[in-house]
Amino acid sequence: MAKGGVGKTTTAVNLAHDLALQGHRVLLVDCDTQGQVARFLGVTPPYGLYEFITGRDAQGNTVSKREAVHPARDNLWILDGGIKLVELKYWLGEQPRENRHALLRKALVPKGDALDYLIFDCAPGWDLLSVNILMAVDEVLCPVALQGPAIEGLKTFFQYLISAQKLNNPLGLKYILPTLFDRRTRQSYDLYKKLKRLFTKQICHPIRLNVRLSEAPSAGQTIFEFDPRATGAQDYRKLTRRLIDDGIRAQQVPRFF
Ligand SMILES: Nc1ncnc2c1ncn2[C@@H]1O[C@H](COP(=O)(O)OP(=O)(O)OP(=O)(O)O)[C@@H](O)[C@H]1O
Ligand SMILES: [Mg+2]
């Protein structure tokens, strides 16, 4: 839900894959109409989040949750996003007012410990789908680009977060991840320092600007496949470590595998 182009999808995909590589079972949900997650991973799932929530495909045929979830790597499954999410937003809007905010949460109802991590890659902006996501999660990781008006974007995001907290109390801002850290610029250092001061608890080790990170998606690979020795891989591994060390485990773990 943070501003566009700050490394949300790059973070979601590489973090999800690294957690999977470390033996955790991960479901990555693409909540963006751009449908970048599948492209970044080089897969073309027949179904996705639309079918998962509505239980039907575009022709009206029944699709089970199990069919909607697509295996992308060992230990890593995805719920594809893409243009069908436009329809999903209309569909959500037509549902009864009293529960239309919590349909995603309901669809992901806890059913055991089939998954360790549930990661949502969000689109910039605020709509019925983003509200549903914030209702379905307990923790938020917010990537912040160490370039341009980073802090401005954060302010808008906090307003969203506060509104969502009124609906979902346990929701917390757990991590601030500085991205696009350019060691050659003063601006990157200044912004990083500022974020460290503002978010002493949440601040994560920054992800450096790394061309290999931007090249990997065209190969349909994560950085751990494309170039595991790149600085991008080292930085994302630090983030994975932090999450694992913090012992976050997805609380709501559906069993549709
Ligand atoms: N650390 C990095 N170094 C170099 N390039 C990066 C880095 N992180 C992301 N990029 C590149 O920046 C662009 C935007 O990244 P990404 O798609 O992850 O952002 P996003 O926040 O998901 O954007 P959107 O809001 O459009 O969904 C991509 O081309 C990506 O490859
Ligand atoms: Mg994205």
Side-chain angles (χ1 to χ4, degrees):
M1 260 141 279
K3 221 178 118 286
V6 298
K8 295 185 296 296
T9 304
T10 305
T11 299
V13 166
N14 287 300
L15 174 64
H17 188 220
D18 202 20
L19 286 165
L21 288 171
Q22 312 293 321
H24 300 282
R25 291 165 67 91
V26 184
L27 175 61
L28 173 57
V29 187
D30 186 353
C31 304
D32 195 331
T33 51
Q34 298 176 88
Q36 293 280 49
V37 166
R39 187 179 77 81
F40 272 44
L41 287 165
V43 293
T44 44
Y47 303 122
L49 186 57
Y50 173 86
E51 289 82 4
F52 184 87
I53 295 192
T54 63
R56 311 227 158 250
D57 66 10
Q59 286 72 45
N61 305 309
T62 309
V63 178
S64 69
K65 287 195 168 110
R66 186 191 254 273
E67 286 175 296
V69 172
H70 187 78
R73 297 291 190 275
D74 283 350
N75 285 333
L76 174 60
W77 291 262
I78 68 170
L79 269 173
D80 193 22
I83 199 69
K84 279 188 279 185
L85 297 187
V86 174
E87 280 300 314
L88 179 62
K89 292 178 198 189
Y90 285 129
W91 185 89
L92 287 170
E94 288 163 359
Q95 302 311 303
R97 176 174 279 280
E98 56 282 8
N99 63 1
R100 70 166 71 129
H101 293 115
L103 289 168
L104 182 58
R105 185 173 194 114
K106 236 174 96 190
L108 293 162
V109 76
K111 282 212 180 97
D113 58 353
L115 282 176
D116 298 311
Y117 292 91
L118 192 47
I119 297 174
F120 295 87
D121 178 27
C122 301
W126 179 253
D127 56 26
L128 206 40
L129 183 55
S130 30
V131 179
N132 262 273
I133 298 160
L134 288 177
M135 291 293 282
V137 301
D138 299 318
E139 292 167 342
V140 174
L141 181 156
C142 181
V144 184
L146 294 177
Q147 307 183 341
I151 310 278
E152 293 313 307
L154 260 184
K155 277 188 195 152
T156 317
F157 175 66
F158 284 163
Q159 284 157 1
Y160 297 157
L161 202 58
I162 290 163
S163 315
Q165 277 165 338
K166 288 181 189 147
L167 298 164
N168 177 14
N169 266 330
L171 179 67
L173 176 66
K174 179 90 179 188
Y175 300 106
I176 293 279
L177 178 69
T179 58
L180 305 174
F181 180 47
D182 185 352
R183 284 183 293 180
R184 295 162 306 182
T185 70
R186 177 81 191 261
Q187 191 193 26
S188 266
Y189 282 102
D190 287 349
L191 282 169
Y192 180 40
K193 260 207 307 215
K194 212 178 213 171
L195 286 175
K196 263 207 287 202
R197 239 194 351 258
L198 286 169
F199 303 99
T200 43
K201 274 209 208 108
Q202 293 95 337
I203 195 84
C204 299
H205 204 276
I207 308 295
R208 285 165 282 183
L209 201 64
N210 177 218
V211 176
R212 304 299 275 165
L213 275 175
S214 60
E215 292 169 343
S218 349
Q221 293 184 328
T222 70
I223 195 66
F224 301 101
E225 297 158 332
F226 187 71
D227 188 353
R229 297 204 310 210
T231 58
Q234 295 163 17
D235 293 345
Y236 276 111
R237 174 123 313 160
K238 281 202 174 100
L239 180 66
T240 315
R241 279 270 130 243
R242 167 133 185 212
L243 259 79
I244 292 174
D245 290 347
D246 285 354
I248 307 166
R249 285 177 60 88
Q251 297 297 307
Q252 296 175 323
V253 275
R255 203 196 294 283
F256 27 70
F257 305 101

